[in-house]
Amino acid sequence: MNSTVKDQTRIAESQSAGGGLAQQRSRQGAQVAGACKEWRWERLIPKRIVIETIYGCNARCHMCPITLPEIRKPEIMPMDKYSALIDALAPYREQVKMLDLFGLGEPLLDPLIFERIRYARGKGFRGLSISTNMHLMDAVKRRAILETGIETVIISIDGIKKETHEAIRPRTNYDRILDNTLGLIRLRNGEGYKTRFVIRFIQQPRNHHEWEPYREFWRQHISKDRNDLVLCYQIHDWTGKVDENVGVNPDRQVLDESLEHVPCHHIFEKLVIQANGSVSLCFEDLYDSPFQFGNVHAMDPIEVFNSPRFNKIRKLHLDGKRKNLEICNGCSVLTNELLRVEG
């Protein structure tokens, strides 16, 4: 039985038990949003910080807006500006639970990425992660990334077959990626490094039939004792910018409708910083970023996060009017979070 049929069977069983899966998960979404509704304009400290150290990628994935005509120019955040940013955020390191050093770009294209990880860890930050397509990994970089002490490496692989993965992620080589990923896991296991791995599958029309064998394959190689995960996310269309959002999971429409007026927790919890220092509304705003909240190279990052313009958007969300914002109207991020499947 393929994954789509299994999902439909599971939904039917849940509905017959007195509540559809979609309805159950929409209630979970409402619970997640509850903390946002308690906000009363007090100063917010982000629980998660995203620093895009490089804007640019070796791949041209169909579901990524970096493949569209350029609005932003490729760039790398200078090390001195990065260090100053980390220094400015260091007083809040206990409140910051996650620090992602990636955005719209491939971190392994950044020649300073290992130095950046060490610098942030040296300032007391924990919960560091990068997300990589693994095409540029090699034996030297495998050891280098583990030596930094980074907590999580997210590995993007979108098929169990070479032709599937390479069709979704042009300019990458599946055989090289597989060799690099298995080699990195072996090195971690063999030498006792603490880094955990998240193998991530973006489910979409090209690959939805491969999820079950994909999950079974990677289950054999990851280590649950080290908190490794295999995850399946539904494809995201970047609010219509990418024409790849063909519904695979039958729960999606029900959840989209039930979450229509739910405030998005990301804009209350996550500070997203572009390679040029500009602050985005959220990760999905990295491509265009029309809001002009401020630049962390010229302003205090926590003050930008709490700016009147940012708070005005939070108020719209709390008032159930997030659909008034073009970027939020039709965004599937909250839905996809609830539809996430752990392998």
Side-chain angles (χ1 to χ4, degrees), residues 58 106-108 130-138 141-142 145 153-157 165 169 172-185 197-199 218:
N58 61 295
E106 168 54 51
L108 295 181
I130 66 166
S131 174
T132 173
N133 59 47
M134 292 295 283
H135 179 87
L136 299 175
M137 188 66 77
D138 56 33
K141 290 175 182 174
R142 290 178 214 159
I145 189 67
V153 175
I154 303 166
I155 299 171
S156 298
I157 303 176
H165 176 85
R169 295 182 176 269
T172 67
N173 182 286
Y174 178 78
D175 297 327
R176 180 188 302 177
I177 290 165
L178 187 63
D179 181 67
N180 277 326
T181 303
L182 294 176
L184 185 62
I185 293 172
F197 303 124
V198 176
I199 312 296
W218 287 108

Side-chain angles (χ1 to χ4, degrees), residues 39 41-44 267-268 293 304-318:
W39 178 67
W41 299 87
E42 66 270 20
R43 190 167 184 257
L44 295 170
I267 64 172
F268 293 84
F293 295 118
V304 178
F305 191 60
N306 288 275
S307 66
R309 185 171 292 182
F310 215 134
N311 284 340
K312 183 178 180 181
I313 292 177
R314 293 184 178 112
K315 182 65 164 53
L316 277 175
H317 275 241
L318 290 176

Side-chain angles (χ1 to χ4, degrees), residues 126-284:
R126 294 298 180 263
L128 272 74
S129 71
I130 66 166
S131 174
T132 173
N133 59 47
M134 292 295 283
H135 179 87
L136 299 175
M137 188 66 77
D138 56 33
V140 173
K141 290 175 182 174
R142 290 178 214 159
R143 184 172 297 277
I145 189 67
L146 295 175
E147 287 287 342
T148 66
I150 192 170
E151 281 81 0
T152 302
V153 175
I154 303 166
I155 299 171
S156 298
I157 303 176
D158 287 332
I160 196 65
K161 298 178 181 177
K162 176 181 176 69
E163 56 268 27
T164 303
H165 176 85
E166 292 181 2
I168 293 170
R169 295 182 176 269
R171 300 192 189 180
T172 67
N173 182 286
Y174 178 78
D175 297 327
R176 180 188 302 177
I177 290 165
L178 187 63
D179 181 67
N180 277 326
T181 303
L182 294 176
L184 185 62
I185 293 172
R186 286 194 297 268
L187 181 59
R188 188 274 309 268
N189 294 351
E191 301 198 16
Y193 292 102
K194 303 300 182 184
T195 301
R196 74 164 187 151
F197 303 124
V198 176
I199 312 296
R200 185 176 61 189
F201 179 91
I202 305 300
Q203 192 174 41
Q204 51 199 281
R206 288 183 174 94
N207 68 2
H208 67 91
H209 58 286
E210 293 188 16
W211 166 239
E212 288 294 339
Y214 178 103
R215 173 165 55 183
E216 291 307 312
F217 175 83
W218 287 108
R219 274 178 172 173
Q220 298 172 27
H221 295 284
I222 64 169
S223 170
K224 292 243 174 146
D225 293 339
R226 293 177 170 87
N227 296 315
D228 293 345
L229 290 172
V230 182
L231 295 180
C232 173
Y233 282 94
Q234 297 294 298
I235 192 170
H236 176 58
D237 75 342
W238 298 81
T239 319
K241 291 186 176 69
V242 178
D243 187 20
E244 291 285 330
N245 192 19
V246 179
V248 173
N249 192 305
D251 280 344
R252 171 171 257 168
Q253 184 176 357
V254 176
L255 278 170
D256 281 344
E257 293 172 358
S258 66
L259 296 173
E260 183 176 333
H261 301 294
V262 172
C264 180
H265 64 96
H266 289 279
I267 64 172
F268 293 84
E269 299 175 346
K270 187 187 295 186
L271 170 61
V272 180
I273 301 167
Q274 297 178 27
N276 64 8
S278 296
V279 170
S280 295
L281 176 65
C282 57
F283 198 93
E284 285 59 42

Side-chain angles (χ1 to χ4, degrees), residues 51-112:
I51 302 177
E52 181 188 65
T53 70
I54 182 169
Y55 177 71
C57 192
N58 61 295
R60 287 297 179 268
C61 307
H62 293 294
M63 63 285 191
C64 179
I66 206 169
T67 63
L68 300 176
E70 296 289 344
I71 291 177
R72 299 174 54 196
K73 295 180 180 179
E75 61 186 311
I76 298 176
M77 184 179 290
M79 189 62 193
D80 60 334
K81 292 185 176 180
Y82 170 84
S83 302
L85 173 58
I86 292 295
D87 292 348
L89 292 167
Y92 311 100
R93 58 184 174 269
E94 296 301 323
Q95 293 105 307
V96 176
K97 304 304 180 185
M98 302 176 71
L99 178 59
D100 302 334
L101 298 185
F102 63 91
L104 283 185
E106 168 54 51
L108 295 181
L109 274 176
D110 179 0
L112 303 171

